[in-house]
Amino acid sequence: MSWSCSSNYLCLSSSSSSSLIDSHELTRINNRCKLSCEYKELRRKDHDTTRPINICAYNGLKPPSHELGKWQRKKDYVLKKPNNISAYYSLKPPPYKFDALEPYMSKRTIEVHWGKHHRGYVESLNKFLEQDDLLYGCTMNELISVTYNNGNPLPEFNVAAQVWNHDFFWESMQPGGGNLPILGLLQQIEKDFGSFTNFREEFIESALTLFGSGWVWLVLKRNEKRLAIVQTTNAITPLVWDDIPLLSLDMWEHAYYLDYKNNKAQYANVFMDHLVSWNAALARMARAQAFVNLGEPKIPVA
Amino acid sequence: MALRTFATRKTLGELCKFQQQVRGLQTFTLPDLSYDYGALEPAISGEIMQLHHQKHHQTYITNYNKAIEQLDDAITKGDASTAVKLQSAIKFNGGGHVNHSIFWKNLAPAREGGGEPPHGSLGSAINQSFSSLEKLIAKMNAEGAALQGSGWVWLAVDKELKRLVVETTANQDPLVTKGPSLVPLVGIDVWEHAYYLQYKNVRPDYLKNIWKVINWKYASQVYEKECP
């Protein structure tokens, strides 16, 4: 199905597609498209930067102000410019010491990858946000959707998405990682890929056939209600398609070059065998099940 | 007996190659560099040059040869879907081979003229299009640094319009994907493998230093051939 976005209304036209989309789904798609449309609209108008900004104006997800309580309405008028209080993104450290992943990912790699690359992205993002009042009030997810611009990314997209991607990546690894997933995640993998060995092979194959820079993800697809392996280029993340990522592997050369030079196969295998955090993936999947119905749990009958 | 197996193995290999040549399929081998790996120090380290040439370029060539063999098979069998499916592998690996072959010729050690500014017709064309060599270098460095992910930055001549242009390509896309009449004069590899071991994430430093080993003589030769 396709939709067209023009300034004040959303026009959904469905072709002869067999997939049924429920109204909840529709609202989500509406909101996502509306966000970037409203952003573009506001950008197009002659934007007076000295005028205080009502954050509600471009956050299509908030209800109209007469429906909010008095406390909430008052909060909307606490603006950035008059009070001169502003907050920016900070560089979050990985949840382990830099040498905790040795010998599979060296301390040097993490020092440069996190300390220089990731830090650089955070600083560039903050510089963009300083200058752009509209983007400043967005949450990270909103930032990524808005700057992705439905496929035509704005310059801020790369830095915003890379900040998120790297945060996600550090948390997808743990010291003493690897082995097998457990509980519900293992069951879901076996259901969607046949066996864990199949999944592992497909994941590594995906990592090796990626041309150029990019990421490999294990995602939970919302529409299809199943797990899938997704390859993305440069900074693109499955969040832009509203899928829920569970694990990621950074295939940009800076992620492995210092340790493995051009041996991508060894890097991907080591990640699967020794670095991947199935605990993190399990926790993420548990949270994801609040949004995606993966079926009734099998309760054993006494 | 060992001698016999050795002989059969050798002739088998020759037979394979013979068959390929009979089929008309020409495979590629890694071209040699005309300078030592360490000759471009300190702009590009010997370690990077060796890895870049012997591992990365060789991998592109190996995979390209594999892909064109498969393509040849598919075409002979009339298997259109396989032939089309191989196109992205051919563009990537073939492009990698083409681009890197040009790149090795674009570089020269300082004592063999690397870094010496172009004279002659290319020099004046640069001054005309970009007002000075420094401005051209600044422009190429800016585009190279701003390139997201992996790619190349090129100085090219449009052989129809007889004009110099600065272009960037993504991944290993050859320059012709940006314009069929573009001929590359100078290409700079901004994939991370080209500089990471030495410059880490500071791509602008790599771009600043590589100009000290750029072989403008080769670029002038190509330019004079296209625009006599």
Side-chain angles (χ1 to χ4, degrees):
Chain A
M1 64 162 259
S2 64
W3 61 85
S4 64
C5 232
S6 72
S7 52
N8 288 316
Y9 65 96
L10 226 48
C11 165
L12 276 138
S13 65
S14 51
S15 49
S16 58
S17 101
S18 54
S19 61
L20 274 169
I21 302 181
D22 58 26
S23 63
H24 189 64
E25 173 81 19
L26 221 54
T27 332
R28 227 168 15 86
I29 298 174
N30 276 358
N31 285 339
R32 191 161 38 115
C33 201
K34 213 175 358 168
L35 256 176
S36 55
C37 284
E38 284 177 356
Y39 173 71
K40 276 195 278 224
E41 176 66 18
L42 281 160
R43 265 268 157 275
R44 215 168 43 227
K45 289 186 187 145
D46 250 356
H47 189 57
D48 179 9
T49 49
T50 57
R51 195 164 46 84
I53 296 156
N54 185 351
I55 296 175
C56 219
Y58 61 93
N59 185 346
L61 299 170
K62 264 195 170 158
S65 68
H66 65 268
E67 281 184 71
L68 296 170
K70 190 172 91 173
W71 175 79
Q72 281 172 304
R73 252 180 293 148
K74 210 168 175 184
K75 214 172 166 226
D76 281 337
Y77 298 127
V78 174
L79 299 162
K80 180 185 153 198
K81 290 267 165 46
N83 291 353
N84 263 344
I85 299 173
S86 36
Y88 295 99
Y89 290 95
S90 64
L91 181 62
K92 191 168 146 195
Y96 35 76
K97 289 210 170 67
F98 286 176
D99 55 7
L101 298 180
E102 295 260 14
Y104 309 111
M105 188 174 274
S106 67
K107 177 171 173 212
R108 187 92 185 96
T109 297
I110 300 188
E111 275 175 1
V112 180
H113 195 176
W114 177 82
K116 301 239 169 91
H117 289 270
H118 194 179
R119 189 186 299 275
Y121 288 128
V122 172
E123 285 172 3
S124 308
L125 178 61
N126 289 338
K127 251 191 277 214
F128 277 125
L129 293 181
E130 231 178 331
Q131 292 152 3
D132 190 330
D133 288 325
L134 288 176
L135 289 182
Y136 173 79
C138 290
T139 62
M140 180 55 100
N141 275 19
E142 286 170 8
L143 250 182
I144 291 181
S145 323
V146 167
T147 51
Y148 183 63
N149 202 12
N150 291 323
N152 225 339
L154 305 174
E156 296 88 350
F157 174 75
N158 284 310
V159 284
Q162 283 292 71
V163 168
W164 189 90
N165 289 344
H166 282 90
D167 272 334
F168 189 84
F169 179 54
W170 302 127
E171 288 164 12
S172 298
M173 296 192 290
Q174 67 172 72
N179 294 319
L180 292 176
I182 50 172
L183 304 175
L185 184 54
L186 182 59
Q187 279 172 14
Q188 192 68 33
I189 286 181
E190 287 178 343
K191 184 163 147 221
D192 292 328
F193 293 99
S195 71
F196 178 71
T197 326
N198 274 0
F199 158 74
R200 187 183 185 284
E201 261 174 44
E202 261 189 61
F203 192 87
I204 293 185
E205 171 81 21
S206 209
L208 298 180
T209 51
L210 178 64
F211 290 151
S213 308
W215 299 76
V216 184
W217 306 81
L218 171 63
V219 293
L220 176 61
K221 285 202 171 274
R222 257 193 232 248
N223 292 348
E224 298 157 43
K225 299 192 187 0
R226 52 162 292 150
L227 296 178
I229 296 175
V230 169
Q231 243 184 20
T232 59
T233 49
N234 291 357
I236 296 179
T237 144
L239 289 182
V240 303
W241 302 302
D242 247 347
D243 289 330
I244 304 177
L246 302 179
L247 279 181
S248 74
L249 174 57
D250 191 352
M251 291 307 294
W252 282 63
E253 284 177 323
H254 63 235
Y256 60 88
Y257 212 73
L258 292 177
D259 293 333
Y260 300 101
K261 307 287 186 313
N262 77 319
N263 198 344
K264 285 202 287 195
Q266 199 188 4
Y267 169 61
N269 276 297
V270 160
F271 175 80
M272 263 296 146
D273 291 335
H274 300 286
L275 286 174
V276 64
S277 171
W278 288 115
N279 292 331
L282 188 62
R284 287 162 180 164
M285 196 175 99
R287 210 184 311 137
Q289 287 180 294
F291 300 95
V292 181
N293 186 357
L294 286 174
E296 294 301 318
K298 275 212 188 76
I299 301 174
V301 180
Chain B
M1 200 196 80
L3 196 64
R4 212 161 12 124
T5 41
F6 176 69
T8 27
R9 226 196 348 249
K10 196 162 178 231
T11 42
L12 260 175
E14 280 174 353
L15 193 65
C16 230
K17 254 221 130 183
F18 177 65
Q19 276 175 344
Q20 275 174 357
Q21 281 167 353
V22 163
R23 266 197 330 227
L25 188 70
Q26 186 180 28
T27 51
F28 296 86
T29 50
L30 188 64
D32 283 328
L33 301 185
S34 53
Y35 39 82
D36 284 334
Y37 288 135
L40 301 179
E41 302 251 9
I44 307 180
S45 71
E47 195 190 1
I48 290 185
M49 287 305 291
Q50 184 172 10
L51 273 167
H52 205 173
H53 182 242
Q54 283 181 351
K55 294 273 158 74
H56 290 271
H57 193 176
Q58 181 62 68
T59 308
Y60 287 129
I61 289 177
T62 315
N63 291 340
Y64 181 53
N65 286 339
K66 234 187 309 185
I68 51 177
E69 269 176 40
Q70 290 172 339
L71 181 68
D72 199 49
D73 271 337
I75 290 182
T76 348
K77 287 200 204 115
D79 185 353
S81 53
T82 311
V84 173
K85 199 169 62 156
L86 286 166
Q87 294 310 311
S88 64
I90 288 179
K91 181 162 108 161
F92 182 68
N93 292 301
H97 170 54
V98 164
N99 292 341
H100 284 88
S101 304
I102 300 175
F103 189 50
W104 307 134
K105 293 195 226 140
N106 276 150
L107 300 172
R111 63 167 184 278
E112 284 169 33
E116 215 181 281
H119 310 292
S121 56
L122 179 57
S124 28
I126 289 179
N127 288 334
Q128 209 176 23
S129 311
F130 303 101
S131 71
S132 73
L133 183 62
E134 284 73 34
K135 290 250 172 61
L136 167 65
I137 289 180
K139 178 164 188 190
M140 283 184 76
N141 287 355
E143 303 232 351
L147 196 145
Q148 287 295 325
S150 313
W152 290 73
V153 60
W154 303 94
L155 170 66
V157 60
D158 187 328
K159 62 182 177 199
E160 307 283 316
L161 304 174
K162 305 283 188 233
R163 203 166 49 127
L164 290 176
V165 288
V166 168
E167 269 295 350
T168 53
T169 50
N171 295 346
Q172 292 295 355
D173 294 352
L175 185 58
V176 293
T177 54
K178 281 285 169 102
S181 52
L182 291 178
V183 175
L185 300 174
V186 176
I188 302 182
D189 190 353
V190 289
W191 279 63
E192 284 174 327
H193 64 237
Y195 59 88
Y196 206 71
L197 293 176
Q198 192 179 352
Y199 295 95
K200 307 290 182 313
N201 70 321
V202 196
R203 196 191 277 177
D205 276 357
Y206 160 70
L207 288 170
K208 205 169 52 166
N209 287 332
I210 198 175
W211 292 104
K212 300 185 188 145
V213 288
I214 290 285
N215 186 359
W216 283 110
K217 274 194 254 179
Y218 170 75
S220 299
Q221 276 170 14
V222 178
Y223 181 74
E224 272 149 31
K225 201 164 69 121
E226 297 299 333
C227 305

